[in-house]
Amino acid sequence: MCGMSDATPAAGQAAPEQPDYDALTRDIAEVPAVEVIVTVAVNLMSAAAVKLGLTEEGEAHKDLDEARKLIHSLAGLLDASATEISSFHASPLRDGLKSLQLAFREASVVKDQPGQGPGEKYTGPVYG
């Protein structure tokens, strides 16, 4: 079977289902913007926590360069959306961001100057 893709069904098997893109588009269209923003923020927070080594696997996925990018992006998103989402949504996200910034500072061997850490362009200096 040289040259055949793994996605090709074997004899007697049904072809894999294709996603219904029209249905997915309709589903996304029904989601309020605040929910999309919060979901993206939570995904950035989760990815940053993994890259900071804060999960069970810890050091296995630790990558501070990647964590810096994710934290900076999260801070930018929260700064840009501050007037668009209520404090009910924004407050816990800002708390999570600060926790990630502090964890980054603690994990870093070479410390950033105050105001130069990830996302501090948007949040101001973060002190422990």
Side-chain angles (χ1 to χ4, degrees), residues 17-83:
E17 282 188 40
Q18 294 296 317
D20 181 0
Y21 292 109
D22 290 334
L24 291 173
T25 302
R26 279 193 301 277
D27 290 345
I28 291 170
E30 295 169 6
V31 178
V34 170
E35 192 172 325
V36 173
I37 293 166
V38 169
T39 299
V40 170
V42 169
N43 284 329
L44 287 168
M45 291 174 98
S46 298
V50 169
K51 296 299 182 178
L52 285 169
L54 301 177
T55 60
E56 284 184 23
E57 294 83 26
E59 297 293 316
H61 301 291
K62 190 172 184 178
D63 184 336
L64 295 183
D65 184 50
E66 291 289 301
R68 176 183 294 275
K69 294 171 188 171
L70 292 162
I71 295 167
H72 189 77
S73 297
L74 173 62
L77 173 65
L78 295 181
D79 183 56
S81 63
T83 60

Side-chain angles (χ1 to χ4, degrees), residues 68 72 104-105 112-121 124-126:
R68 176 183 294 275
H72 189 77
F104 183 91
R105 187 170 295 282
D112 292 317
Q113 292 296 315
Q116 300 300 308
E120 291 182 13
K121 167 182 173 181
V126 175

